Amino acid sequence: MERATHILVECPELIASVRVGVLDALAPLEGSVCEVRFRETRRIERQDIQWCDILVCVRGSETLTQQVVSETKRHGRLVFYFLDDDLLHLPEDSLSRAYFDDGDHQKALRDILGQSDGLWGVNEEIRTLYLPLCGTQRWICSRVPARVRTRPAAGAGPGPVKVLYAGSTDHQNMVREILAPAVQAVIEQCGDRVDFTFLGPDPQIAGCGQVHHRAFFDDHGQYRAFVEDGGFQIGLAPVRPGQFYQCKYYNKFVEYTSIGAVGIYTDSPLYRQIVVDGENGLLSGNAPEDWARSIVRLVEQPGLRERCRQAAESVLDDRFRPEAVSRELLAQIPEIQWYRAPAVSLRDISMRDLGLCFYMDRVRYLLRRYHLLAVPIVVAKAIKKIAKWLLRSICHHVQRIF
């Protein structure tokens, strides 16, 4: 029996872009069409390259990834680059800007794109900006798969209307400039009829029992459990108007709808791709008073909230079901079904110690940025890594005993 196509997905970490954008899109094809393996870049071994037919590089922009891609291509494997952010044009206030501007990251990103057999994205703006940089002018566009939760959404019963903002700490300035004053205005008008949770950025609204903040979850499963069980009825999704932000994906529509929450979104080209104002969500101007007005509208009109929720869930069910997303992906990348890379022996695969390279790159970055102040940072990170290793070893030993 002929084996399935082997797909290796790599990224420095198992971030949401990997899990939701790539692994979830491939999941319905696993077993019958392909086998999928994820590896953190620093943990890729020669056996992984020998095993794979297709490499999916997710947001790769490091010399480590560049080495993996070059060796993979040298042995006849296909490489597809998945990109869901405009990494070459990060805004000045982005917390990731210093890292991506450092060293050879932009050069590495361009080189990886130049070796790619196709660009896989979720927004046509990415195609416009990045496809010209690809070695093969081939564009693959997919949606992020999602399912509507089966539990009924929270209705208009007793208790406050629960509002959620979930996002990266990169958006902290925007949250404090736009949402924080809007939330304060809503509380003044609605009182205890509304309750806010900020997951990720801290809005810095002190002394208010109706505003809660917690750090973002490192574990995606814990994050999903928190938002699914939170009974949230409204989700907030502001976005800046600049080009960088319009290259993103309207993932907040998918996330909020999947947990039964009605979204309020910045009125922008990004969200106008999927949101019809007043039908499956609200589109808002980006001034604090615009956001306050939109939030109050949904708080005070449970009927509108319910109609928007049902319409958004219909969109998700019709267009974002995992099986439909995977079928569309397979139609665009038929190699997922039939491509087999040439056999190669392990001794012919040239690989450096990627783990060592990874940590040396991180140390060099810290030294370039912080100079002598980097020494205690490096020591602290090393102690933390050693402590985690010791804890894992002790737990493994205890499990073996019992």
Side-chain angles (χ1 to χ4, degrees):
M1 181 177 179
E2 188 179 16
R3 67 169 176 83
T5 305
H6 294 166
I7 301 177
L8 177 64
V9 181
E10 74 81 32
C11 187
E13 296 179 15
L14 183 55
I15 58 176
S17 297
V18 175
R19 185 187 300 275
V20 180
V22 177
L23 297 181
D24 285 357
L26 291 169
L29 302 174
E30 286 194 70
S32 60
V33 174
C34 61
E35 292 182 31
V36 180
R37 176 186 295 179
F38 170 74
R39 288 285 186 269
E40 293 177 340
T41 312
R42 65 184 180 275
R43 302 190 191 282
I44 292 176
E45 299 180 348
R46 291 184 300 161
Q47 290 88 340
D48 295 311
I49 292 180
Q50 181 190 50
W51 173 84
C52 81
D53 301 300
I54 297 173
L55 172 70
V56 179
C57 172
V58 182
R59 298 167 58 100
S61 63
E62 300 183 347
T63 54
L64 210 64
T65 309
Q66 186 180 6
Q67 294 169 30
V68 170
V69 168
S70 295
E71 190 64 12
T72 302
K73 288 285 291 183
R74 190 168 76 88
H75 294 291
R77 277 71 182 142
L78 295 179
V79 174
F80 293 100
Y81 190 98
F82 181 88
L83 183 61
D84 58 358
D85 249 339
D86 184 6
L87 297 182
L88 290 176
H89 307 99
L90 291 168
E92 293 288 344
D93 62 351
S94 169
L95 299 180
S96 305
R97 176 67 183 264
Y99 176 74
F100 278 102
D101 281 355
D102 178 73
D104 295 324
H105 286 113
Q106 293 203 17
K107 180 178 180 296
L109 190 156
R110 292 173 183 274
D111 181 78
I112 295 165
L113 282 169
Q115 297 187 68
S116 296
D117 296 289
L119 176 62
W120 177 3
V122 291
N123 188 323
E124 291 292 332
E125 290 297 319
I126 291 291
R127 172 182 183 169
T128 301
L129 292 173
Y130 286 86
L131 191 58
L133 303 178
C134 285
T136 301
Q137 300 291 292
R138 180 178 177 186
W139 170 243
I140 301 105
C141 189
S142 69
R143 296 187 178 94
V144 168
R147 293 188 189 276
V148 178
R149 69 176 191 175
T150 55
R151 294 188 299 278
V161 175
K162 301 184 72 174
V163 184
L164 172 68
Y165 173 86
S168 163
T169 52
D170 255 10
H171 305 145
Q172 192 149 274
N173 291 339
M174 179 178 63
V175 165
R176 292 175 183 175
E177 292 170 12
I178 297 174
L179 291 186
V183 166
Q184 291 170 314
V186 171
I187 291 173
E188 288 178 9
Q189 183 171 344
C190 297
D192 59 6
R193 290 183 293 149
V194 65
D195 185 89
F196 292 88
T197 295
F198 284 83
L199 185 54
D202 184 354
Q204 290 191 330
I205 302 176
C208 182
Q210 293 153 263
V211 179
H212 319 282
H213 168 255
R214 66 151 297 147
F216 208 87
F217 292 91
D218 291 330
D219 182 86
H220 183 73
Q222 292 178 350
Y223 163 72
R224 287 299 302 182
F226 179 85
V227 296
E228 287 177 2
D229 297 338
F232 298 108
Q233 295 147 275
I234 299 173
L236 307 180
V239 67
R240 300 281 195 192
Q243 172 187 281
F244 170 80
Y245 299 98
Q246 301 312 307
C247 285
K248 288 182 170 290
Y249 186 58
Y250 45 75
N251 63 303
K252 287 304 171 191
F253 173 85
V254 177
E255 286 187 27
Y256 290 150
T257 302
S258 71
I259 63 171
V262 176
I264 304 174
Y265 312 91
T266 295
D267 189 358
S268 60
L270 173 64
Y271 282 114
R272 284 197 294 271
Q273 294 178 61
I274 193 71
V275 178
V276 179
D277 185 42
E279 291 188 16
N280 58 3
L282 296 188
L283 295 173
S284 173
N286 249 11
E289 55 269 26
D290 296 326
W291 278 92
R293 188 160 46 247
S294 296
I295 296 168
V296 169
R297 183 182 174 193
L298 282 184
V299 169
E300 294 187 339
Q301 298 184 42
L304 172 64
R305 204 164 64 233
E306 179 62 13
R307 289 194 300 275
C308 286
R309 181 187 70 82
Q310 291 181 5
E313 290 182 354
S314 293
V315 171
L316 212 65
D317 190 54
D318 289 342
R319 298 161 59 183
F320 292 82
R321 282 179 292 109
E323 297 79 10
V325 170
S326 66
R327 282 197 302 271
E328 291 179 6
L329 181 63
L330 184 57
Q332 295 179 80
I333 315 178
E335 292 95 332
I336 290 175
Q337 187 164 23
W338 62 261
Y339 187 76
R340 304 292 183 272
V344 59
S345 66
L346 285 178
R347 66 175 176 272
D348 290 332
I349 299 174
S350 176
M351 290 283 289
R352 299 164 61 191
D353 186 329
L354 297 182
L356 178 61
C357 294
F358 171 83
Y359 289 113
M360 290 302 297
D361 282 349
R362 291 300 189 271
V363 169
R364 283 192 287 267
Y365 165 69
L366 291 171
L367 288 172
R368 283 194 298 270
R369 186 171 185 193
Y370 300 108
H371 305 292
L372 289 178
L373 292 176
V375 175
I377 297 175
V378 172
V379 171
K381 287 181 178 291
I383 292 173
K384 187 176 179 181
K385 289 287 183 184
I386 293 170
K388 284 185 176 180
W389 177 80
L390 286 173
L391 182 60
R392 283 197 303 267
S393 299
I394 291 170
C395 290
H396 179 67
H397 183 66
V398 170
Q399 287 173 353
R400 290 181 64 184
I401 293 174
F402 293 100

